[in-house]
């Protein structure tokens, strides 16, 4: 603390206030002493100051002690009340003395009322000192306290009797006519001896509560007793008169007793603020030694009294003999009690020592004591089991010799810091390091370190297994359990580390996201165990293909990632080429055949690459690589795609479209159109195909296929499919009731057909609710989803066909599963894919393929529908091949309900090559702009 801070601190203020009070007290006492020494200037003033001055000082002490006791002195309150009463008796005695000398102007008679008050001064003070003493906790302690008091008192009595009291008693016995004066002459010194005995006994047994107040009170009473002893001496008693210098001792004793409790109050206020504890190791042994020597010193004083009589040639008085014998007896009894206490303490100490020795030797922890130089002085026997080294081999060795060199500097630094700290602030510290075992291995050891005589006390335990377990848990938390590659959390941390520090501005750092194409088919065909084995081999190939400073990771499922750390190259083009080459090499490596059991399995790899940019976050960099990987999959798979900012814009666009589609479904912005299915031989309308359109805010109808594909939202697709089926059935039932019972066909995916949620799980209930005959509904099944189970689909279609619902196979000729669907599914109608129909006129190859497919349908007894018949040449070619029905722009586009009913009234459309009436709806069809994803104007309603 600085000097200014010390002066301004509250503790310094309290110390300054106490110093001023002590200085003021000293000045008052010194002034009184000077006045008494010079006789106060006149005999009458000397009498006044010697009598009433002492009375006022004693009264101040009485009031001060009483007020302190009233304000709360705790356990010592009775002692301060007794001191107050004792001082009051002294004040009354001095007042009576002054009444005689000052007021009446006559000598004080002996005995008088003043003697009564003065004799009442000592007993309360003696009892108060007993209250201040530390109370013994055992009966033997109380006996020792009484014996110590008698030893001191008896010794002082022997010495005083030998020196003066025997002569005083003898003279009083011959000169006085009454026993009272003789008893009074002996009462003062005897009470003083008792009071001195209590003061001396209390000095070594005082309580720790309010130590400052107790010490000050003892000093005040000691000063008063000393003045009494001088007053009662035969040399001064005969010549004493009030106002002499002796009165200054009584005056100072009273004021000091008045000051004692308030000094304690200031000390208590200062103690409320923490202060560094002062070491008392030097004073305690001295105080303990003096307390132990007190009985012997008392016996020595008693012996001196007896020797004085022997040296002077006097006859030893019976009082001296009796007192000396009792003092010796008390000393013997006390020594006997101390001997018994020492025997008990020795036995207890031996028992505790054996107990702690058993604890140390039986403990699984190793306890070591190191000298200040670092040399091991003691090692517990547990070292043999923990370190594999005998304790005797370690004793005398340097502690640094068994600590791992890499940990030594840290341990030394911690030990030095610990020893430099204050013991009360940091009693212990904990150190974890590696110790050399007997086999030469390094053990992880945790030690609790304490101070021990300037050295160290170490309580050590082996935590090697715990450290290994923590390391294993940390490894498991950061690595994939199947491939043992870093997982997403650790990979993200590595990316963050690569983007920070000295590599923060390196544009060559790149992240690769890798997805295995066709992995799900492996799980579905040969099982998940084989899929796990394939992932393990793929992870091993990836780990072996990246560089030493790079990181390969598995993010989950069949998704992997790689972090390619930049090498400081500033040529962005060269760096992109290098990373693209690494990614392509990884793609080729991961696309090699995998040996799974007896067979080989092939999968491809789609890889997205994203390069670090200034101030880019790890999350954004990994997101960019993920977008590039999905672009690679959408672009045909088994390829490498570099991230471009346009990809993020596409993601935003998809999100916006998904939100718009969700809003359109909720707000009912979809419209239902129907495209006629025409018989190619007669032109009659055989059925209508339901198609959904989204009505935009500009009044344009869009096909929802693009939005569903962009959004990738299965929930929205399912919701749209439910709406399409229910609206188609409802409108077909309305048309039938209006006299137009034309069948309606609804295209549903196989996954939607197997959906158990309404209305897919209750097509029967839907037909019943709207009153539509089951034969008036045809379900067009798309077979493009490989995830659908053929067994479940077959059961579902068989159940629908039993109800009378007709089944059409949509997109026939475009999928690998078409033949399998023909073989297993209950099909009524084959619907040719529009890709076949578009080239049937120009391409001889497509002509032959389409002709063959129609022949298969004819041989199986199935009807056929050609989708996308847009020009008359296609109608002629398909009819020549044997196709029975067609739909497309050659007849009509999708119609709203109003125009559809007008077409149904006429009942047929003109067919090229077949004579018939004029078209019923010349120009009434809704022309599509670009195939199935074009838009049309909203037809009038």
């Amino acid at each position: 603390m600085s000097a200014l801070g010390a002066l301004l601190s509250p503790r310094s203020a309290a110390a300054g206030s106490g110093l001023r009070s002590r200085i003021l007290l000293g000045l008052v006492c010194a002034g009184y002493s000077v006045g008494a020494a010079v006789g106060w200037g006149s005999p009458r003033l000397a009498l006044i100051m010697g009598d009433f001055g002492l009375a006022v000082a004693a009264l101040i002490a009485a009031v001060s002690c009483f007020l302190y006791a009233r304000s709360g002195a705790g356990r010592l309150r009775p002692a301060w009340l007794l001191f107050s009463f004792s001082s009051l008796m002294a004040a009354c005695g001095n007042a009576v003395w002054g009444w005689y000398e000052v007021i009446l102007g006559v000598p004080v008679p002996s005995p008088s009322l003043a003697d009564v008050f003065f004799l009442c001064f000592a007993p309360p003070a003696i009892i108060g000192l007993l209250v201040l003493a530390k109370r013994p906790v055992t009966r033997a302690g109380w006996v020792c306290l009484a014996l110590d008091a008698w030893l001191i008192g008896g010794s002082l009595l022997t010495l005083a009797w030998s020196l003066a009291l025997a002569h005083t008693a003898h003279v009083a016995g011959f000169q006085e006519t009454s026993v009272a004066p003789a008893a009074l002459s002996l009462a003062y010194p005897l009470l003083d001896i008792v009071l001195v005995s209590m003061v001396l006994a209390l000095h070594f047994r005082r309580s720790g509560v309010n130590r400052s107040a107790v010490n000050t009170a003892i000093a005040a009473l000691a000063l008063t007793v000393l003045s009494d002893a001088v007053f009662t001496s035969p040399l001064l008693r005969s010549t004493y008169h009030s106002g002499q210098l002796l009165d200054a001792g009584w005056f100072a004793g009273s004021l000091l007793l008045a000051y004692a409790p308030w000094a304690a109050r200031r000390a208590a206020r200062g103690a409320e603020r923490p202060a560094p504890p002062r070491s008392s190791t030097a004073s305690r042994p001295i105080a303990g030694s003096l307390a132990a020597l007190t009985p012997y010193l008392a016996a020595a004083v008693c012996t001196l009294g007896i020797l004085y009589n022997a040296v002077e040639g006097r006859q030893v008085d019976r009082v001296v003999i009796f007192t000396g014998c009792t003092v010796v007896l008390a000393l013997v009894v006390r020594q006997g009690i101390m001997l018994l206490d020492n025997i008990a303490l020795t036995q207890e100490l031996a028992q505790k020592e054996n107990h702690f020795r058993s604890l140390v030797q039986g403990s699984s922890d190793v306890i070591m004591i190191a000298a200040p130089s670092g040399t091991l002085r003691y090692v517990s026997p547990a070292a043999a089991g923990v370190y594999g080294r005998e304790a005797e081999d370690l004793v005398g060795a340097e502690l640094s010799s068994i600590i791992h060199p890499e940990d030594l500097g840290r341990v030394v630094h911690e030990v030095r810091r610990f020893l430099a700290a204050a013991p009360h602030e940091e009693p212990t510290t904990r150190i974890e390091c590696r110790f050399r075992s007997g086999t030469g291995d390094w053990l992880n050891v945790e030690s609790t370190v304490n101070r021990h005589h300037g050295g160290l006390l170490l309580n050590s335990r082996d935590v090697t297994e715990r450290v290994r377990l923590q390391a294993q848990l940390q490894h498991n938390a950061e690595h994939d359990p199947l491939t043992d590659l870093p997982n997403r959390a650790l990979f993200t941390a590595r990316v963050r580390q690569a983007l920070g520090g000295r590599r923060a501005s390196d544009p060559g750092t790149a992240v690769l996201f890798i997805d295995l194409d066709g992995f799900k088919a492996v799980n579905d065909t040969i099982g998940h165990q084989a899929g796990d084995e394939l992932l393990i081999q793929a992870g091993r190939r990836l780990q072996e293909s990246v560089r030493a400073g790079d990181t390969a990771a598995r993010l989950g499922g069949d998704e992997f990632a790689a972090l390619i750390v930049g090498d400081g190259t500033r040529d962005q083009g060269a760096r992109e080429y290098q990373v693209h080459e690494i990614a392509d090499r990884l793609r080729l490596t991961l696309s090699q055949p995998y040996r799974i059991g007896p067979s080989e399995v092939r999968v491809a790899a789609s890889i997205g690459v994203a390069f670090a940019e200034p101030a880019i976050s790890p999350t954004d960099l990994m997101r960019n690589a993920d977008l590039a990987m999905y672009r690679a999959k959408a672009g045909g798979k088994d390829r490498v795609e570099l991230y471009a900012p346009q990809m993020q814009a596409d993601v935003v666009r998809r999100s916006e479209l998904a939100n718009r589609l969700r809003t359109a479904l909720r707000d009912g912005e979809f419209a239902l159109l129907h495209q006629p299915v025409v018989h190619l031989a007669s032109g009659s309308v055989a059925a209508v195909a339901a198609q959904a359109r989204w009505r935009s805010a500009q009044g344009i109808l869009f096909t929802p296929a693009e939005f569903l594909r962009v959004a990738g939202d299965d929930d929205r697709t399912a919701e749209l499919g439910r709406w399409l089926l229910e609206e188609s059935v409802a409108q077909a039932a309305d048309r039938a009731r209006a006299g137009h019972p034309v069948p309606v066909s609804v295209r549903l995916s196989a996954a939607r057909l197997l959906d158990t949620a309404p209305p897919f799980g209750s097509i029967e209930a839907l037909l019943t609710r709207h009153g539509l005959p089951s034969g008036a509904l045809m379900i067009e099944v798309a077979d493009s989803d490989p995830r659908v189970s053929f067994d479940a689909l077959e059961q579902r279609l068989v159940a629908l066909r039993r109800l009378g619902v007709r089944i059409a196979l949509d997109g026939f000729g475009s999928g690998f599963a078409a033949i399998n669907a023909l073989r297993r599914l209950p099909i009524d109608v084959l619907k040719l894919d529009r890709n076949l129909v578009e080239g049937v006129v120009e391409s001889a190859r497509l002509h032959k393929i389409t002709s063959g497919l129609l022949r298969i349908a004819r041989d199986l007894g199935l009807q056929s529908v050609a989708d996308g018949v847009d020009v008359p040449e296609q109608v002629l070619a398909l009819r020549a091949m044997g196709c029975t029905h067609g739909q497309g722009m050659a007849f009509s586009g999708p119609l709203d309900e109003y125009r559809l009913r007008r077409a149904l009234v006429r009942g047929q459309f003109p067919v090229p090559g077949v004579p018939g009436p004029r078209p019923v709806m010349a120009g009434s069809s809704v022309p599509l702009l670009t195939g199935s994803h074009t838009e049309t104007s909203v037809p009038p309603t």
Side-chain angles (χ1 to χ4, degrees), residues 14 46 49 134 137 152 158 245 293 366 371 540 579 583 605 683 746 852:
M49 295 303 297
K134 184 186 297 183
V137 296
I152 297 172
T158 301
L245 186 60
L293 290 175
V366 180
R540 189 180 302 118
V579 174
V746 181

Side-chain angles (χ1 to χ4, degrees), residues 13-29:
S17 176
L19 180 61
R20 288 193 296 270
S21 301
R22 289 192 290 270
I23 292 174
L24 180 61
L25 178 62
L27 291 177
V28 172
C29 294

